[in-house]
Amino acid sequence: GQQVMQIPQYQHVQEGEDFTTYCNSSTTLSNIQWYKQRPGGHPVFLIQLVKSGEVKKQKRLTFQFGEAKKNSSLHITATQTTDVGTYFCAPPQSNTGKLIFGQGTTLQVKP
Amino acid sequence: KAGVTQTPRYLIKTRGQQVTLSCSPISGHRSVSWYQQTPGQGLQFLFEYFSETQRNKGNFPGRFSGRQFSNSRSEMNVSTLELGDSALYLCASSFYPIAKNIQYFGAGTRLSVL
């Protein structure tokens, strides 16, 4: 069945360093969403990517959708302590449309 | 606009009991999905309701059930609780079926089964 792999599982960075998380699918995706969950909180929608090769920016966050629409990445430039949390990618399952959440990448930022 | 409201926020039950969790979606949202979140398994999809009909179901045993009312509010029920059911249960609403729309999550109900 359709699988989503997110790497790395954990990342510890010094404040000011960059951070990237990758999401890889076994099948071609129609679109992909990204969510952030702060410690003790709930997932919050960040962005949706739809087009092949699409790149979207939100301040220090850059989201990319691969040309083959089988992978995506989230890059944070110059991390801040407010970036702490778990980042999930979530593409829809091809036959049902329900979202499949990756295992998430938990980011820790040392001040 | 009020967000997704889940009640109760915390619940402690013992094995064998049953539990009902409630979710009120954002006004105007007709799709409600339920997820189970545990440290080991991550975010797992339970089911989705749209206009009172179950549209999608995840790979959970029949002890997990849900329903949606005409005002889009949803409930999920877990019968014969097991220790492994301890988790954060998240409800999310969206304007359309989830294939096309953003999920807005509630704060969740943290269930502890003793």
Side-chain angles (χ1 to χ4, degrees):
Chain A
Q2 187 174 352
Q3 292 187 9
V4 173
M5 178 86 69
Q6 208 174 334
I7 54 171
Q9 193 173 357
Y10 298 98
Q11 184 94 55
H12 294 248
V13 300
Q14 197 73 38
E15 190 172 22
E17 290 181 338
D18 291 356
F19 159 77
T20 305
T21 173
Y22 300 90
C23 182
N24 299 304
S25 169
S26 55
T27 59
T28 303
L29 305 171
S30 59
N31 65 78
I32 191 164
Q33 297 179 14
W34 284 89
Y35 291 78
K36 176 185 178 183
Q37 184 173 19
R38 287 199 161 96
H42 56 276
V44 174
F45 173 81
L46 292 176
I47 208 154
Q48 178 171 281
L49 304 171
V50 179
K51 298 176 186 173
S52 166
E54 189 169 15
V55 177
K56 285 189 176 180
K57 291 191 176 184
Q58 288 179 353
K59 295 183 182 177
R60 295 178 294 103
L61 277 61
T62 302
F63 302 84
Q64 287 191 308
F65 202 8
E67 293 290 342
K69 299 182 77 173
K70 293 179 79 171
N71 56 72
S72 181
S73 65
L74 157 59
H75 178 83
I76 302 178
T77 304
T79 53
Q80 300 175 359
T81 53
T82 53
D83 296 325
V84 163
T86 301
Y87 293 85
F88 294 96
C89 64
Q93 190 174 50
S94 53
N95 56 340
T96 65
K98 68 185 185 188
L99 287 183
I100 304 170
F101 280 80
Q103 285 290 84
T105 296
T106 298
L107 172 64
Q108 298 276 13
V109 179
K110 273 191 203 175
Chain B
K1 214 176 199 182
V4 177
T5 304
Q6 289 189 247
T7 56
R9 288 294 312 278
Y10 303 92
L11 212 44
I12 300 175
K13 292 285 187 180
T14 55
R15 277 180 300 173
Q17 286 187 310
Q18 77 162 26
V19 67
T20 300
L21 312 181
S22 180
C23 173
S24 292
I26 291 172
S27 178
H29 286 192
R30 294 161 62 195
S31 170
V32 173
S33 298
W34 289 89
Y35 297 85
Q36 182 196 64
Q37 187 173 35
T38 58
Q41 298 297 319
L43 259 171
Q44 305 235 292
F45 174 81
L46 280 154
F47 25 66
E48 181 209 356
Y49 287 88
F50 178 69
S51 293
E52 301 179 68
T53 302
Q54 187 180 85
R55 276 178 42 90
N56 282 308
K57 192 176 188 313
N59 296 324
F60 279 82
R63 300 185 297 108
F64 292 81
S65 63
R67 60 178 174 167
Q68 187 180 34
F69 302 95
S70 58
N71 62 357
S72 295
R73 192 177 71 84
S74 178
E75 287 181 348
M76 70 162 273
N77 184 275
V78 188
S79 62
T80 320
L81 285 166
E82 301 177 359
L83 294 179
D85 297 333
S86 294
L88 179 66
Y89 289 88
L90 291 160
C91 165
S93 74
S94 69
F95 190 64
Y96 288 118
I98 59 176
K100 298 175 183 175
N101 258 272
I102 299 161
Q103 298 281 285
Y104 293 87
F105 284 86
T109 294
R110 186 162 295 282
L111 172 65
S112 297
V113 182
L114 307 178

